């Protein structure tokens, strides 16, 4: 079941409530339709990808499903997506600005925060935490 604030976001600005769900690196990522169109456009524009990148495109685009919550905000995640990212019992929804992620709770808890300050600095990002 999607939290009310997520459902409201899906209907904001005339949205239909639908979103695209796909698998990335052990988690599910949900995109609004316009954002998903940008993802597929960018992936589709790569000429002659390496075999590794071609496999990445095949998984990301091939597993993608358009989802529409029911009146109570529930969605049934397809079995293929659940298996791909190892969703078991408890899940965690994580808001990520214009998208959200769905993690297996145990995998999310196992993520260790590392010092990424040099990497952020190299990208020109300065955070005051």
């Amino acid at each position: 079941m999607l939290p009310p604030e997520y459902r409201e976001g899906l209907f904001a600005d005339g949205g239909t409530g639908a979103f695209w769900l796909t698998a990335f690196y052990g988690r599910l990522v949900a995109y609004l339709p316009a954002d998903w169109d940008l993802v597929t456009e960018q992936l589709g524009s790569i000429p002659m990808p390496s075999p590794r990148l071609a496999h990445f495109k095949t998984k990301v685009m091939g597993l993608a499903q358009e989802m529409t919550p029911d009146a109570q905000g529930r969605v049934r995640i397809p079995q293929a997506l659940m298996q791909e990212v190892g969703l078991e019992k408890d899940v965690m929804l994580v808001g990520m600005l214009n998208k959200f992620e769905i993690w297996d709770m145990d995998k999310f808890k196992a993520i260790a925060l590392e010092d990424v300050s040099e990497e952020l600095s190299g990208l020109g990002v300065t955070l005051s935490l």
Side-chain angles (χ1 to χ4, degrees), residues 1-8 10-11 17 19 68-76 93:
M1 180 174 288
L2 296 175
E5 56 273 11
Y6 285 57
R7 285 182 267 160
E8 291 167 10
L10 294 172
F11 285 101
F19 61 93
T68 304
D70 66 13
Q72 288 79 37
R74 298 174 297 194
V75 293
R76 180 174 290 283
L93 271 69

Side-chain angles (χ1 to χ4, degrees), residues 23-128:
F24 277 111
Y25 306 118
R27 70 200 190 284
L28 297 178
V29 183
Y31 293 91
L32 293 172
D35 294 324
W36 178 247
D37 289 345
L38 291 173
V39 170
T40 59
E41 181 181 316
Q42 290 175 350
L43 288 176
S45 70
I46 301 169
M48 296 297 292
S50 67
R52 202 171 97 186
L53 186 52
H55 292 146
F56 174 83
K57 286 175 52 175
T58 298
K59 279 282 192 170
V60 169
M61 294 172 71
L63 288 170
Q65 298 280 323
E66 186 173 22
M67 312 292 291
T68 304
D70 66 13
Q72 288 79 37
R74 298 174 297 194
V75 293
R76 180 174 290 283
I77 298 172
Q79 194 69 28
L81 285 170
M82 290 176 57
Q83 289 175 345
E84 180 67 25
V85 300
L87 289 185
E88 295 293 327
K89 182 179 177 187
D90 296 321
V91 300
M92 174 84 176
L93 271 69
V94 181
M96 301 290 294
L97 300 175
N98 63 336
K99 61 184 176 264
F100 64 90
E101 298 178 351
I102 303 171
W103 287 81
D104 178 81
M105 181 69 80
D106 290 336
K107 284 184 182 180
F108 187 80
K109 287 179 179 178
I111 296 172
L113 287 179
E114 300 177 34
D115 182 0
V116 294
S117 55
E118 285 186 33
E119 190 173 347
L120 287 172
S121 179
L123 294 169
V125 177
T126 56
L127 297 175
S128 175

